Structure formats: C-alpha cells, structure tokens
Amino acid sequence: MDGQQSQEAEYERLGHKQLTLVDVVAQSVGFMGPVFSSAFLIPAIAGIISATGKGAGIAAPLAVLIAAIGVFALGWIVAQYSKRIHAAGSLYDYVSNGLGRTLGAATGWLYYGGTIVLTCGLGVLVGGFIHDTIQAEFNREPLPIWAWNVLWAVALFLVLYLGVQISTRVQLTLALISVAVVLTFFIYVIVKVGGDNDVAKAFDPSGSTTGDLNGVLFGVLYGVLIFVGFETAANLAEETSQPKRQIPRAVMFSVVAVSIFYLIASYAQVAGFGFHLDTLASAAAAPLFALASPAEAGGFGSTTLVRIMELVVLFDILAVGVGAAVASTRGVFAMARDRRLPAPLASVSSRFGTPTGSIAFLIFIQALFILGTEFWDDLFALPETPHYFAIFLWGSTFGGFALVVVYLLMSLGSLFGLRDLPNRVGLWISAILGLAISGGAIYGSFADVTSPILLGPVYALVLFGVGLLASFVFKGREPAVKVIHALRTHQE
C-alpha cells in the first residue's frame, strides 16, 4: 500500500472534487453552443451554404433527428466509459483503453489539438462579433477588433485560473440566459405560424435539395457538427464529487436536452420562412436575426429584439469559448501528466488546484491567433469575408473534423475496451451507429470542399500523424488512470 501511495504521489493532481451534476451538464451544453449553432448552422444542414449544395432543405428537422440518434449512440459509449475511468483525459483515455496506448496518445494530440484550435478560433470571433455588431447597430467603434480579442483572452485566463467551478458557473449562466431567450422566441414563431404549421412536411425527405433521402443524409453530415463537444463533461470527472454517477447522467441529459432544442430550432426556422427553401436561403447568413426582424422586414419581432438576439448569441459564443478552453486545458494536463507532452504543462496551482501549465499554453496559442488575424491578412482568407470570421471558420472546421475522427476511433475501440459489458447488443448497436455517423461526417468534411476550408481537415490529419510519430518516439510513463486508484472504478 505504501508503495502504491508513493507511486501515486509522483503524479500531478487537480483540485478538490467540488463539481456537481449541474456543473458538468453546463460543461457539455456550454461547449455545444446550441444558440450559436442554431443561429448560424441550420442553413448548412438545409444545404443552403454547404460546400456541396446538397442538404436536407426544409426537411432539416429530419436531418437533426437522425444526427441526434447517432450522437445519442456516441453518448452511450462515453457514458459506459465514464463509469469506469474518472480522469481528466476523457476520450484520450477511452481510446487508449480500447486501441492501445500509442494510438490513444496520438488521438489525444488530435482531440486536444482540435479543441485548442476551436477555442482560439472562437477567441478571434468574439472580438470581431462585438466590434462589428456595435458598429452596425450604433455606428460606434470603442475599440479595434484586436483589443476586444485581448480583453477576452485576459478574461478567459482569469476564469480558467481562479477555479473550475467559476468556469462552469460562467458557462451555466451564459448558456441558460441565451437558451431561454431563443427557445422562447422559437416557440413564439411556431405559435404565430398558426394553421400554416406542417410538421409532416418538415420530416418528409422529398423536401430535401435532392428531393429524396440522399439530400437528408448530406444534411446529417453537417448535423453531427452541431453536437460536437457533447462528451466534454467527462473531462471534469477528476474534479466531480461523484463522477461514476454524475458524468454519465450529464452526457446523456445534455444530448437529449440539446436534441430537443435543435429540433424546435430547426422546425421554427423552416416554418418561419413558410417552408420555402428560397425564402430561407435569402436569410442564410443569419436566419435567427431575420426571424427576429420587424414585420415589415418579413420577421416576427422588432429592431430591439434583433439586438437582444445579438446579445444572447454573444453570450453563447462566450459559453462555447469557456467550455472549449476547459476541455482543452484538462486534456493537455492529463497528457502531460502521463508525459505524452512536456511535464511543465502538467503543473497545477497550489492555491486553486487549476492546471496552470496548460492554461498558460492555451493563452499563448490564443495570442498567436490574435497576432495572425491582425497582421497576416492572407492567412486562410476568404473572399468578401471578414478575416476574423475566415480564421474562425477554418478553426471550427479543423476542430470539428478532429473531434469526429476521435469519435470514430472511440466507437471502434469500444468494441475492445468495453467488450466485458453485459449489454453486448447495446454496445454493438452504439458502436455501429457511432462509426456510421462519425464516418459520414468525415466524408462530408472532404466532399467537394475547396481550399482554404479543406486545409482544416488536411492539417488535422497532419497533426494526427505528428502525434502518432511522437507517441512512438516518446513512450511516456504508466498512465495516471492505471496508477491513481481514484481515477478508475473498473477492476482489471
């Protein structure tokens, strides 16, 4: 026993187990960003702004439902793993458990590289969104875009450093306000549509851009991306009071709750535009804001309501940023603790119990993104698109692709890592659905996509290759989940 305790003492540990079910639900929901996704990504599911031009059309709710079923299967796998493994590494440890330590470490490079890039892409979007919104609404420019981005980076550092419960409560507050306001408005739109509502039409495959199920399935490929991050509650298992009980509940509840929100959001948008794809296409850039516009502009609201929607969308962007940052810092910490990354990245604050090394690393990468956005005008630039948004679009493509590749590997690995589950049928069904939904999303990341957006998946695969090489060269040490008894419950 003394030998085991001595060995455990060599491994860095995060702060006290203080998080509750509410906190870990906030992490998953905050990362998914349901308001932001429903505001900007429904047109991609419909096929209006997709690279292929194919999509679910006015049957977007059907595509969302199919995507939700696939993500529910992925969530079930995460829930089973989280009952056994309570480490900050989450999917890194899950894939290692199923497919071996070398491939697992490479997966960690890809997964947390993806969440870091997504975090930093959001970090430059924040400043651009605030700047352009103030300028458009009030014709004012209190600060340049880069200054807003720096302020956000400083605020993010403080939220991360001062304690994980602060991070989750910030997410909870921002997400609750934004979801409550937008959900109320979507329900209002549906009520106002009145007798013109046609639920059957929204779930009829003939309403897709191809007039059949093929178009719906293209919509599903984008539909998966609106759920990215559902699993990140598991990154907080090490800091949760009852991880075996709370993490599985948080993951499954988050998937179900956000699925319901997305179904209402997608239906409200197609119904609000009269079930006409051309009308929806005319507001493809931001259908939520178009619906919130005054009646004379074809909407259901007012100028004041549009401004409220802009504010709550900003709240949700901030919640996503905090959620992605929390997941990133915990994952980098876990890999550094296993010495799959440099040891200084595993340093922990003695006062707050937060991963200071990985937080400093994340803020450093954020600074590089801010500098690149400000001074490298050609970096991932898109025609007639603000540079900050082009950087965000590339970063979100990189991050989304990275995570769905990890979902695929986790689904495959679950057939080995969870092979002793009593519910073998449930395991196989979930693994097959997980492989299908993530494999389809990977295909959608390449199908007819052009540069520079195509560079997102390409660079993600390069990072995976670098991670695989590093995993062969640097073997690390015995994983913390194998050494620290509190990080696991499964008897091996």
Side-chain angles (χ1 to χ4, degrees):
M1 180 63 69
D2 290 341
Q4 180 181 348
Q5 291 177 341
S6 175
Q7 189 179 13
E8 287 191 13
E10 297 175 4
Y11 286 72
E12 297 84 354
R13 303 286 288 271
L14 292 176
H16 300 298
K17 291 179 171 291
Q18 56 183 315
L19 300 182
T20 65
L21 178 62
V22 170
D23 293 303
V24 288
V25 167
Q27 169 62 28
S28 281
V29 173
F31 194 122
M32 281 189 278
V35 168
F36 177 76
S37 295
S38 64
F40 295 107
L41 298 183
I42 297 300
I45 297 172
I48 298 169
I49 59 172
S50 68
T52 62
K54 299 177 182 179
I58 61 173
L62 176 59
V64 169
L65 178 61
I66 295 173
I69 293 171
V71 173
F72 186 87
L74 289 169
W76 188 87
I77 294 172
V78 172
Q80 304 315 307
Y81 267 125
S82 64
K83 293 175 183 177
R84 304 178 173 203
I85 298 173
H86 310 145
S90 72
L91 269 68
Y92 151 63
D93 284 309
Y94 301 167
V95 176
S96 297
N97 183 264
L99 298 178
R101 290 173 57 184
T102 298
L103 190 55
T107 299
W109 275 68
L110 180 62
Y111 185 78
Y112 296 110
T115 59
I116 288 172
V117 169
L118 180 57
T119 302
C120 296
L122 283 161
V124 297
L125 175 66
V126 167
F129 186 87
I130 294 174
H131 174 275
D132 288 1
T133 300
I134 293 175
Q135 193 171 62
E137 295 290 351
F138 307 105
N139 196 28
R140 296 285 189 273
E141 188 182 15
L143 293 171
I145 292 175
W146 68 264
W148 287 113
N149 288 332
V150 170
L151 286 175
W152 167 243
V154 172
L156 184 61
F157 170 79
L158 292 174
V159 168
L160 293 172
Y161 176 69
L162 294 177
V164 66
Q165 197 163 47
I166 293 176
S167 304
T168 57
R169 294 303 164 90
V170 167
Q171 290 181 72
L172 179 65
T173 302
L174 294 170
L176 274 180
I177 293 173
S178 56
V179 167
V181 171
V182 174
L183 181 60
T184 300
F185 174 66
F186 281 142
I187 293 173
Y188 171 77
V189 169
I190 295 171
V191 172
K192 291 292 288 184
V193 170
D196 292 328
N197 277 295
D198 192 342
V199 176
K201 185 177 291 186
F203 290 89
D204 184 352
S206 65
S208 73
T209 58
T210 61
D212 56 22
L213 190 59
N214 182 53
V216 174
L217 293 178
F218 267 92
V220 172
L221 306 186
Y222 289 96
V224 175
L225 299 181
I226 65 179
F227 288 95
V228 161
F230 73 91
E231 77 292 345
T232 54
N235 287 284
L236 299 180
E238 202 163 322
E239 298 160 275
T240 302
S241 59
Q242 296 178 302
K244 183 179 179 180
R245 177 185 178 89
Q246 308 294 27
I247 300 300
R249 288 184 174 186
V251 170
M252 301 310 293
F253 174 82
S254 299
V255 170
V256 172
V258 172
S259 295
I260 294 171
F261 178 87
Y262 283 145
L263 284 170
I264 294 172
S266 57
Y267 178 79
Q269 291 186 45
V270 297
F273 289 105
F275 299 97
H276 296 302
L277 191 58
D278 292 342
T279 309
L280 178 60
S282 66
L288 173 62
F289 300 147
L291 288 174
S293 298
E296 56 268 25
F300 294 82
S302 63
T303 300
T304 300
L305 185 58
V306 170
R307 291 175 177 173
I308 292 173
M309 290 302 169
E310 290 170 342
L311 181 61
V312 297
V313 166
L314 173 61
F315 285 171
D316 206 51
I317 293 173
L318 299 180
V320 177
V322 174
V326 169
S328 300
T329 52
R330 269 61 189 174
V332 170
F333 161 80
M335 293 188 66
R337 177 171 60 187
D338 291 347
R339 301 301 185 257
R340 292 294 189 172
L341 291 174
L345 296 178
S347 60
V348 177
S349 166
S350 58
R351 181 175 181 182
F352 299 108
T354 48
T356 51
S358 59
I359 291 172
F361 177 70
L362 174 68
I363 299 301
F364 172 73
I365 301 298
Q366 182 68 78
L368 295 181
F369 266 69
I370 294 172
L371 290 171
T373 304
E374 182 67 19
F375 296 110
W376 191 351
D377 293 338
D378 295 332
L379 180 64
F380 306 126
L382 291 168
E384 300 180 4
T385 303
H387 193 215
Y388 71 83
F389 194 82
I391 294 293
F392 160 72
L393 192 58
W394 179 84
S396 61
T397 303
F398 181 107
F401 176 81
L403 266 62
V404 295
V405 171
V406 174
Y407 296 161
L408 184 142
L409 293 172
M410 180 190 69
S411 298
L412 178 62
S414 69
L415 295 174
F416 305 97
L418 297 174
R419 61 183 178 273
D420 59 340
L421 276 180
N423 188 357
R424 295 284 293 171
V425 173
L427 173 62
W428 274 93
I429 291 175
S430 296
I432 291 171
L433 286 175
L435 288 167
I437 206 77
S438 53
I442 291 170
Y443 167 76
S445 299
F446 288 100
D448 298 327
V449 178
T450 58
S451 185
I453 300 304
L454 181 62
L455 294 177
V458 170
Y459 286 0
L461 290 178
V462 170
L463 176 62
F464 184 64
V466 171
L468 193 60
L469 179 62
S471 302
F472 276 112
V473 176
F474 305 106
K475 299 296 186 181
R477 61 181 177 180
E478 188 74 3
V481 72
K482 299 283 188 180
V483 175
I484 303 175
H485 180 74
L487 301 186
R488 67 186 188 278
T489 55
H490 180 54
Q491 297 300 315
E492 301 172 277

